[in-house]
Amino acid sequence: MAPQRTHSLLLLLLLTLLGLGLVQPSYGQDHMYQRFLRQHVDPDVSTGSDGYCNLMMQRRKMTLHQCKRFNTFIHESIWNIRSICSTANILCKNGKMNCHEGVMKVTDCKETGNSKAPNCRYRAKASTRRVVIACEGNPEVPVHFDR
């Protein structure tokens, strides 16, 4: 009787965590969410410089084999970013209707065009602007920076 009760309690705990959104149900979705975090989220900084872009693009492994031409870092808490997913759906660049928009503090890093991996060089542009993010899952989490 004890193993059945333990099993029932574990199942109840898992369902509770799923309901609260603390456990992601899909490996694919979780992988995309983790990639989004690595490539686009830096809440510890309020604005970025050229040196910031050069360092972060390398640290976040976006310069290993070739220089990523453009990347945006969002300087907000993950909870503020995730809240965008609860806004109205809008059309993404790829034609899907799973994008959402909000205003965030960001640093856009643009490759200078004359550097070679892994020593890529970037120009930074810090601003507060409208961003568009694709969200998926239940609960919805950001999985792609659209624009």
Side-chain angles (χ1 to χ4, degrees), residues 42-54:
D42 188 13
D44 299 327
V45 173
S46 61
T47 186
S49 63
D50 292 354
Y52 167 84
C53 285
N54 294 337

Side-chain angles (χ1 to χ4, degrees), residues 35-74:
R35 182 176 182 211
F36 175 87
L37 295 176
R38 177 179 59 83
Q39 289 188 347
H40 300 292
V41 179
D42 188 13
D44 299 327
V45 173
S46 61
T47 186
S49 63
D50 292 354
Y52 167 84
C53 285
N54 294 337
L55 180 65
M56 289 303 289
M57 293 296 286
Q58 195 169 40
R59 270 191 189 164
R60 301 288 179 97
K61 303 191 184 324
M62 290 181 273
T63 63
L64 288 177
H65 304 294
Q66 62 185 21
C67 300
K68 185 174 182 184
R69 291 181 163 273
F70 189 85
N71 191 67
T72 301
F73 290 101
I74 305 171

Side-chain angles (χ1 to χ4, degrees), residues 4-144:
Q4 183 180 4
R5 183 169 185 216
T6 302
H7 183 260
S8 295
L9 288 173
L10 287 173
L11 184 60
L12 179 63
L13 176 63
L14 178 62
L15 290 173
T16 302
L17 290 173
L18 280 168
L20 293 172
L22 299 176
V23 174
Q24 299 302 321
S26 163
Y27 171 76
Q29 173 194 330
D30 186 55
H31 175 72
M32 297 286 290
Y33 176 58
Q34 294 302 320
R35 182 176 182 211
F36 175 87
L37 295 176
R38 177 179 59 83
Q39 289 188 347
H40 300 292
V41 179
D42 188 13
D44 299 327
V45 173
S46 61
T47 186
S49 63
D50 292 354
Y52 167 84
C53 285
N54 294 337
L55 180 65
M56 289 303 289
M57 293 296 286
Q58 195 169 40
R59 270 191 189 164
R60 301 288 179 97
K61 303 191 184 324
M62 290 181 273
T63 63
L64 288 177
H65 304 294
Q66 62 185 21
C67 300
K68 185 174 182 184
R69 291 181 163 273
F70 189 85
N71 191 67
T72 301
F73 290 101
I74 305 171
H75 306 300
E76 302 277 350
S77 74
I78 189 54
W79 303 112
N80 284 351
I81 298 167
R82 281 182 71 161
S83 73
I84 291 176
C85 294
S86 63
T87 64
N89 289 46
I90 63 170
L91 189 65
C92 300
K93 287 192 289 188
N94 67 4
K96 287 185 168 183
M97 280 298 293
N98 64 327
C99 277
H100 308 266
E101 66 182 337
V103 175
M104 302 265 134
K105 290 182 292 188
V106 301
T107 297
D108 294 314
C109 301
K110 184 177 181 182
E111 200 261 329
T112 61
N114 59 358
S115 58
K116 300 260 189 259
N119 299 314
C120 304
R121 296 290 166 245
Y122 292 88
R123 293 273 180 255
K125 182 180 179 193
S127 63
T128 299
R129 69 171 176 86
R130 176 182 154 270
V131 298
V132 177
I133 295 170
C135 300
E136 292 181 359
N138 187 15
E140 283 194 315
V141 294
V143 294
H144 175 72

